Amino acid sequence: MRILEKSPCAFLSNCEIWRVRPDTIDTELQIFIVGPEGSWPEETRFGVTFATDAEQFGNMVPNMVRTLTTFGDVYPSYTVSIGYAPTSAQAYSVQRARDLTPTEWPAYSAFFTEALNEPTVLATGKALDFLNFIIDELQPALNAAYPINLQDSTLAGHDLGGLFTLFAFLNRPEAFQNYLAISPALWWAESALINLAQDTTASTLSPKSKLYLCAGALEAQHPTESLVSALPEDLQAKLPQGILRPDIAGHIHRLEAALAPWKTQGLTLHTATIPNETQGSVIGAGLSQGLRALNSLTEIYGG
């Protein structure tokens, strides 16, 4: 990974922005690194929360961590939000569909290539490359530059970011201790990740990890239907199954069943359906409840 530029962040204190070019992904990324406020002994090393989709959550995640820290709900920590540089040639939505999805889905690619009027076929299924970048390139660079403790790390994401979080948990579970998946897109590729979970739990021992899964109780009020209705009828007919009115809560229940063998081997699994929250509004509630469940002071100090 080459660090192309480091700059201060205008909207948060104790924040630095890195513009980087990975060795294994052909794009430029923007990394928002936010440290805890206050003065600390020089030898202090902090836990760290990694989050996808900095374009949406680059401000929300560090502010949530700071608020919870202020009120004594979690221990002070760093946050690292990963997004795409403004100089990237492709749109954010196109790149996240490529980097956050664990398997190719040709029907999805064909539909959105046409819907977005993209000149080339939309790529999908490159989550492993993105995960390897975070673990093998970004984490070592951050560990050398900041007082972080990678043995106290959390990976968080929403929607496709939640899907990516679950893929990381199943694929390289040792890389993070805690996983927070908010309204994960388990409908992707006809629930391919649930099938992966069934195969993985049947063939490998459980990691000593904590996983928090949540969805909003009002997820059925999904905006996809109104967006799709504005498209030409011939294009609507090409929409892959599972995207319209996805049963997020049902998918989470199926995933929980697939992970059941690991619950007796060391996995700590929390699931929640959060009342009065839609797919969008559940982000804040999921962050708050998930971070407290995974990183609470009561668990750290036993009180």
Side-chain angles (χ1 to χ4, degrees):
M1 180 185 79
R2 287 189 295 132
I3 301 175
L4 305 175
E5 181 183 22
K6 294 182 179 182
S7 59
C9 178
F11 54 85
L12 282 169
S13 61
N14 200 17
C15 171
E16 187 171 51
I17 303 172
W18 288 6
R19 184 168 60 88
V20 306
R21 176 164 285 280
D23 295 334
T24 53
I25 306 174
D26 186 21
T27 192
E28 288 187 7
L29 298 172
Q30 194 161 250
I31 316 296
F32 294 81
I33 306 136
V34 183
E37 296 179 301
S39 299
W40 301 88
E42 188 174 342
E43 66 276 10
T44 304
R45 299 192 74 82
F46 298 91
V48 55
T49 295
F50 291 82
T52 63
D53 294 301
E55 291 80 359
Q56 298 182 52
F57 314 126
N59 212 351
M60 180 183 291
V61 176
N63 279 327
M64 179 65 73
V65 169
R66 285 183 171 179
T67 298
L68 295 176
T69 299
T70 298
F71 287 91
D73 292 311
V74 300
Y75 199 72
S77 64
Y78 271 78
T79 61
V80 176
S81 303
I82 305 166
Y84 298 96
T87 52
S88 298
Q90 292 181 300
Y92 157 65
S93 59
V94 171
Q95 297 200 82
R96 76 188 293 265
R98 175 194 67 210
D99 294 333
L100 300 181
T101 56
T103 52
E104 293 183 343
W105 194 5
Y108 180 98
S109 298
F111 175 82
F112 280 98
T113 297
E114 186 173 349
L116 298 173
N117 197 28
E118 286 292 313
T120 57
V121 175
L122 185 73
T124 56
K126 301 297 183 182
L128 182 58
D129 292 340
F130 198 64
L131 177 61
N132 289 340
F133 156 72
I134 294 173
I135 298 170
D136 301 329
E137 300 181 49
L138 182 59
Q139 284 190 346
L142 292 169
N143 195 46
Y146 296 99
I148 60 174
N149 176 14
L150 291 174
Q151 300 307 308
D152 180 15
S153 62
T154 299
L155 178 63
H158 167 260
D159 188 47
L160 288 182
L163 180 72
F164 174 79
T165 296
L166 293 171
F167 172 74
F169 165 69
L170 292 170
N171 195 272
R172 294 189 66 175
E174 78 290 345
F176 305 90
Q177 288 67 55
N178 304 315
Y179 295 85
L180 170 53
I182 304 169
S183 186
L186 290 168
W187 46 264
W188 179 264
E190 301 175 359
S191 304
L193 188 125
I194 297 176
N195 297 330
L196 174 63
Q198 291 171 335
D199 294 341
T200 303
T201 57
S203 60
T204 62
L205 293 176
S206 170
K208 304 298 183 183
S209 304
K210 291 188 286 185
L211 170 62
Y212 184 91
L213 278 168
C214 69
L218 304 180
E219 295 252 358
Q221 298 178 12
H222 199 277
T224 303
E225 189 168 1
S226 60
L227 294 173
V228 170
S229 65
L231 297 172
E233 289 187 4
D234 61 331
L235 185 55
Q236 291 184 42
K238 300 177 184 178
L239 184 72
Q241 286 189 339
I243 294 179
L244 206 61
R245 294 177 175 264
D247 181 14
I248 302 297
H251 289 319
I252 287 179
H253 180 73
R254 288 176 56 204
L255 179 62
E256 184 178 14
L259 295 174
W262 276 3
K263 292 176 68 175
T264 61
Q265 300 174 19
L267 170 65
T268 301
L269 176 62
H270 305 262
T271 60
T273 300
I274 303 178
N276 302 316
E277 302 293 352
T278 65
Q279 191 204 24
S281 68
V282 75
I283 300 169
L287 276 174
S288 173
Q289 295 188 25
L291 289 171
R292 283 182 287 147
L294 296 170
N295 302 293
S296 70
L297 287 176
T298 55
E299 290 188 12
I300 292 172
Y301 293 121

